Amino acid sequence: MKWTKFYLPDAYSPTMEQLVYFHDHTMSIITSIMILICILLNSLLWNKLIDLNMNEHQMIETWWTILPTIVLFLIAIPSLKILYSMEELINPTISIKSMGHQWYWSYEYSDKFCKELESYMKYNKKNDFRLLEVDNKMKAPFLTQIRMIFSSSDVLHSWTIPCLGIKMDAVPGRINQSSLMIKKPG
């Protein structure tokens, strides 16, 4: 992934693949609506004919009320399906607890072996992305169902990996959880 890319990041999880498909589905609906509106506006601007029967036409008013409702359902149903699938936990093999602290994250692997690590930001190298590179990266297995548990010790923190389609807020005194499956290593 490059900084100059204008599209969504490459999908590395089934959730992100569904989000990309939903984005394409919604954009095709929006594009077709925009083309239809441009055609109708163009015909309205250049047409000088007046039809008096159109003033009392109830069928057109019925259809331009029903069609937007159908379009909203075509967008809402896939959206709700993705939202519910993002919250579903499917027999996680491993759990990773992520705790947000002020200026660093700590990770705890506690299922099969107990391992803790702290991840601080790096500042010194020219090739590193500012505020994104860390000294200890969280490692997660691919093709494995993972449960991520988020919390914070001091203030609100936001934990995100765009190519996996996951973003969670770590709130002090509250535990949030999310399901994660990585399809490609890296």
Side-chain angles (χ1 to χ4, degrees), residues 76-105:
I77 290 173
S79 172
L80 289 173
K81 179 184 165 195
I82 293 171
L83 281 174
Y84 280 113
S85 70
M86 288 173 73
E87 292 295 322
E88 186 178 15
L89 285 174
I90 308 167
N91 294 331
T93 307
I94 187 170
S95 294
I96 302 172
K97 181 181 175 186
S98 178
M99 181 72 87
H101 302 279
Q102 193 160 358
W103 303 110
Y104 70 98
W105 287 90

Short mmCIF file of all heavy atoms in Angstrom, two decimals, residues 76-105:
data_model
loop_
_atom_site.label_atom_id
_atom_site.label_comp_id
_atom_site.label_asym_id
_atom_site.label_seq_id
_atom_site.Cartn_x
_atom_site.Cartn_y
_atom_site.Cartn_z
N ALA A 76 -29.23 -0.69 2.49
CA ALA A 76 -29.28 -0.99 3.93
C ALA A 76 -29.10 -2.47 4.23
O ALA A 76 -28.44 -2.82 5.21
CB ALA A 76 -30.59 -0.49 4.52
N ILE A 77 -29.66 -3.36 3.42
CA ILE A 77 -29.61 -4.79 3.74
C ILE A 77 -28.19 -5.33 3.71
O ILE A 77 -27.76 -5.99 4.66
CB ILE A 77 -30.59 -5.57 2.83
CG1 ILE A 77 -32.02 -5.22 3.23
CG2 ILE A 77 -30.34 -7.07 2.92
CD1 ILE A 77 -33.08 -5.76 2.33
N PRO A 78 -27.37 -5.06 2.65
CA PRO A 78 -25.98 -5.53 2.72
C PRO A 78 -25.18 -4.87 3.84
O PRO A 78 -24.30 -5.49 4.44
CB PRO A 78 -25.39 -5.17 1.35
CG PRO A 78 -26.55 -4.95 0.47
CD PRO A 78 -27.66 -4.51 1.34
N SER A 79 -25.49 -3.61 4.14
CA SER A 79 -24.79 -2.91 5.21
C SER A 79 -25.05 -3.58 6.56
O SER A 79 -24.12 -3.79 7.35
CB SER A 79 -25.24 -1.46 5.25
OG SER A 79 -24.72 -0.80 6.36
N LEU A 80 -26.29 -3.91 6.85
CA LEU A 80 -26.61 -4.58 8.11
C LEU A 80 -25.99 -5.97 8.19
O LEU A 80 -25.54 -6.40 9.26
CB LEU A 80 -28.13 -4.66 8.29
CG LEU A 80 -28.82 -3.34 8.57
CD1 LEU A 80 -30.33 -3.52 8.56
CD2 LEU A 80 -28.36 -2.76 9.88
N LYS A 81 -25.93 -6.66 7.07
CA LYS A 81 -25.31 -7.99 7.04
C LYS A 81 -23.83 -7.90 7.42
O LYS A 81 -23.32 -8.70 8.20
CB LYS A 81 -25.48 -8.58 5.64
CG LYS A 81 -24.86 -9.93 5.49
CD LYS A 81 -24.98 -10.41 4.05
CE LYS A 81 -24.06 -11.57 3.83
NZ LYS A 81 -23.85 -11.86 2.44
N ILE A 82 -23.14 -6.90 6.88
CA ILE A 82 -21.72 -6.72 7.19
C ILE A 82 -21.54 -6.31 8.65
O ILE A 82 -20.64 -6.80 9.34
CB ILE A 82 -21.08 -5.69 6.24
CG1 ILE A 82 -21.05 -6.23 4.82
CG2 ILE A 82 -19.68 -5.33 6.69
CD1 ILE A 82 -20.63 -5.22 3.79
N LEU A 83 -22.39 -5.42 9.15
CA LEU A 83 -22.28 -4.99 10.55
C LEU A 83 -22.45 -6.16 11.52
O LEU A 83 -21.69 -6.29 12.48
CB LEU A 83 -23.32 -3.91 10.85
CG LEU A 83 -22.98 -2.51 10.37
CD1 LEU A 83 -24.17 -1.58 10.60
CD2 LEU A 83 -21.76 -1.97 11.07
N TYR A 84 -23.41 -7.02 11.26
CA TYR A 84 -23.62 -8.17 12.14
C TYR A 84 -22.49 -9.19 12.01
O TYR A 84 -22.10 -9.82 12.99
CB TYR A 84 -24.97 -8.83 11.88
CG TYR A 84 -26.10 -8.08 12.54
CD1 TYR A 84 -27.06 -7.43 11.80
CD2 TYR A 84 -26.20 -8.03 13.93
CE1 TYR A 84 -28.09 -6.74 12.40
CE2 TYR A 84 -27.23 -7.35 14.55
CZ TYR A 84 -28.17 -6.70 13.77
OH TYR A 84 -29.18 -6.02 14.38
N SER A 85 -21.94 -9.37 10.82
CA SER A 85 -20.84 -10.32 10.66
C SER A 85 -19.56 -9.81 11.31
O SER A 85 -18.71 -10.60 11.73
CB SER A 85 -20.60 -10.64 9.18
OG SER A 85 -20.05 -9.54 8.52
N MET A 86 -19.39 -8.50 11.40
CA MET A 86 -18.20 -7.94 12.05
C MET A 86 -18.24 -8.17 13.57
O MET A 86 -17.19 -8.29 14.20
CB MET A 86 -18.08 -6.44 11.76
CG MET A 86 -17.67 -6.14 10.35
SD MET A 86 -17.73 -4.38 9.96
CE MET A 86 -16.32 -3.79 10.85
N GLU A 87 -19.41 -8.26 14.16
CA GLU A 87 -19.54 -8.44 15.60
C GLU A 87 -19.57 -9.91 16.02
O GLU A 87 -19.56 -10.21 17.20
CB GLU A 87 -20.82 -7.75 16.09
CG GLU A 87 -20.77 -6.25 16.00
CD GLU A 87 -19.73 -5.66 16.92
OE1 GLU A 87 -19.55 -6.15 18.04
OE2 GLU A 87 -19.07 -4.69 16.49
N GLU A 88 -19.59 -10.81 15.05
CA GLU A 88 -19.73 -12.23 15.35
C GLU A 88 -18.38 -12.84 15.72
O GLU A 88 -17.40 -12.65 15.02
CB GLU A 88 -20.31 -12.91 14.11
CG GLU A 88 -20.64 -14.35 14.29
CD GLU A 88 -21.25 -14.93 13.03
OE1 GLU A 88 -21.15 -14.30 11.97
OE2 GLU A 88 -21.81 -16.01 13.13
N LEU A 89 -18.34 -13.58 16.81
CA LEU A 89 -17.14 -14.32 17.22
C LEU A 89 -17.33 -15.79 16.87
O LEU A 89 -18.28 -16.41 17.32
CB LEU A 89 -16.88 -14.17 18.71
CG LEU A 89 -16.34 -12.83 19.17
CD1 LEU A 89 -16.27 -12.79 20.68
CD2 LEU A 89 -14.98 -12.59 18.59
N ILE A 90 -16.42 -16.35 16.07
CA ILE A 90 -16.55 -17.72 15.61
C ILE A 90 -15.42 -18.55 16.20
O ILE A 90 -14.33 -18.61 15.65
CB ILE A 90 -16.51 -17.79 14.07
CG1 ILE A 90 -17.51 -16.82 13.48
CG2 ILE A 90 -16.75 -19.20 13.58
CD1 ILE A 90 -17.33 -16.58 12.01
N ASN A 91 -15.63 -19.19 17.33
CA ASN A 91 -14.67 -20.08 17.97
C ASN A 91 -13.22 -19.59 17.85
O ASN A 91 -12.43 -20.15 17.09
CB ASN A 91 -14.77 -21.49 17.39
CG ASN A 91 -16.09 -22.13 17.72
OD1 ASN A 91 -16.69 -21.85 18.74
ND2 ASN A 91 -16.54 -23.00 16.83
N PRO A 92 -12.85 -18.56 18.58
CA PRO A 92 -11.48 -18.05 18.45
C PRO A 92 -10.44 -19.05 18.94
O PRO A 92 -10.63 -19.71 19.96
CB PRO A 92 -11.48 -16.79 19.30
CG PRO A 92 -12.61 -16.96 20.24
CD PRO A 92 -13.62 -17.82 19.56
N THR A 93 -9.37 -19.19 18.19
CA THR A 93 -8.28 -20.08 18.56
C THR A 93 -7.33 -19.40 19.53
O THR A 93 -6.76 -20.04 20.41
CB THR A 93 -7.50 -20.50 17.30
OG1 THR A 93 -8.44 -21.02 16.36
CG2 THR A 93 -6.48 -21.56 17.60
N ILE A 94 -7.17 -18.10 19.37
CA ILE A 94 -6.23 -17.36 20.20
C ILE A 94 -6.88 -16.03 20.59
O ILE A 94 -7.66 -15.46 19.83
CB ILE A 94 -4.89 -17.13 19.47
CG1 ILE A 94 -3.85 -16.50 20.38
CG2 ILE A 94 -5.07 -16.31 18.22
CD1 ILE A 94 -2.46 -16.48 19.80
N SER A 95 -6.57 -15.56 21.78
CA SER A 95 -7.05 -14.26 22.25
C SER A 95 -5.85 -13.36 22.52
O SER A 95 -4.87 -13.80 23.12
CB SER A 95 -7.85 -14.39 23.54
OG SER A 95 -9.03 -15.10 23.32
N ILE A 96 -5.95 -12.13 22.05
CA ILE A 96 -4.89 -11.15 22.28
C ILE A 96 -5.52 -9.95 22.98
O ILE A 96 -6.47 -9.36 22.48
CB ILE A 96 -4.23 -10.70 20.95
CG1 ILE A 96 -3.66 -11.90 20.21
CG2 ILE A 96 -3.16 -9.66 21.21
CD1 ILE A 96 -3.18 -11.59 18.81
N LYS A 97 -4.99 -9.63 24.15
CA LYS A 97 -5.48 -8.48 24.90
C LYS A 97 -4.60 -7.29 24.57
O LYS A 97 -3.38 -7.35 24.71
CB LYS A 97 -5.44 -8.77 26.40
CG LYS A 97 -5.96 -7.64 27.24
CD LYS A 97 -5.87 -8.00 28.71
CE LYS A 97 -6.28 -6.83 29.56
NZ LYS A 97 -6.08 -7.11 30.98
N SER A 98 -5.22 -6.21 24.16
CA SER A 98 -4.50 -4.99 23.78
C SER A 98 -4.91 -3.88 24.74
O SER A 98 -6.08 -3.50 24.80
CB SER A 98 -4.86 -4.63 22.35
OG SER A 98 -4.24 -3.45 21.96
N MET A 99 -3.94 -3.37 25.47
CA MET A 99 -4.21 -2.33 26.47
C MET A 99 -3.54 -1.03 26.04
O MET A 99 -2.33 -1.00 25.80
CB MET A 99 -3.67 -2.78 27.83
CG MET A 99 -3.91 -1.81 28.94
SD MET A 99 -5.63 -1.75 29.44
CE MET A 99 -5.67 -3.04 30.64
N GLY A 100 -4.33 0.02 25.90
CA GLY A 100 -3.81 1.31 25.51
C GLY A 100 -3.30 2.09 26.70
O GLY A 100 -3.99 2.22 27.71
N HIS A 101 -2.07 2.60 26.59
CA HIS A 101 -1.48 3.46 27.62
C HIS A 101 -1.16 4.80 26.95
O HIS A 101 -1.26 4.95 25.75
CB HIS A 101 -0.20 2.83 28.18
CG HIS A 101 -0.42 1.47 28.77
ND1 HIS A 101 -0.91 1.28 30.04
CD2 HIS A 101 -0.20 0.24 28.26
CE1 HIS A 101 -1.00 0.00 30.29
NE2 HIS A 101 -0.57 -0.67 29.22
N GLN A 102 -0.74 5.75 27.74
CA GLN A 102 -0.41 7.04 27.16
C GLN A 102 0.92 6.94 26.43
O GLN A 102 1.95 6.85 27.02
CB GLN A 102 -0.34 8.10 28.26
CG GLN A 102 -0.32 9.49 27.70
CD GLN A 102 -0.73 10.49 28.76
OE1 GLN A 102 -1.06 10.15 29.88
NE2 GLN A 102 -0.71 11.76 28.39
N TRP A 103 0.92 6.94 25.13
CA TRP A 103 2.06 6.89 24.22
C TRP A 103 2.54 5.48 23.88
O TRP A 103 3.53 5.34 23.18
CB TRP A 103 3.25 7.72 24.72
CG TRP A 103 2.88 9.14 24.94
CD1 TRP A 103 2.77 9.77 26.14
CD2 TRP A 103 2.54 10.09 23.95
NE1 TRP A 103 2.38 11.05 25.97
CE2 TRP A 103 2.23 11.29 24.62
CE3 TRP A 103 2.44 10.07 22.57
CZ2 TRP A 103 1.84 12.44 23.96
CZ3 TRP A 103 2.06 11.22 21.91
CH2 TRP A 103 1.77 12.39 22.61
N TYR A 104 1.89 4.43 24.33
CA TYR A 104 2.30 3.09 23.91
C TYR A 104 1.15 2.11 24.12
O TYR A 104 0.16 2.41 24.79
CB TYR A 104 3.55 2.62 24.66
CG TYR A 104 3.37 2.31 26.12
CD1 TYR A 104 3.19 1.00 26.54
CD2 TYR A 104 3.41 3.32 27.07
CE1 TYR A 104 3.04 0.71 27.89
CE2 TYR A 104 3.26 3.04 28.41
CZ TYR A 104 3.06 1.73 28.81
OH TYR A 104 2.92 1.45 30.13
N TRP A 105 1.27 0.94 23.51
CA TRP A 105 0.30 -0.15 23.64
C TRP A 105 1.00 -1.34 24.29
O TRP A 105 2.17 -1.60 24.03
CB TRP A 105 -0.22 -0.58 22.27
CG TRP A 105 -1.17 0.39 21.66
CD1 TRP A 105 -0.85 1.44 20.86
CD2 TRP A 105 -2.59 0.41 21.79
NE1 TRP A 105 -1.98 2.12 20.48
CE2 TRP A 105 -3.07 1.49 21.04
CE3 TRP A 105 -3.50 -0.38 22.47
CZ2 TRP A 105 -4.41 1.81 20.95
CZ3 TRP A 105 -4.84 -0.07 22.37
CH2 TRP A 105 -5.30 1.01 21.63
#
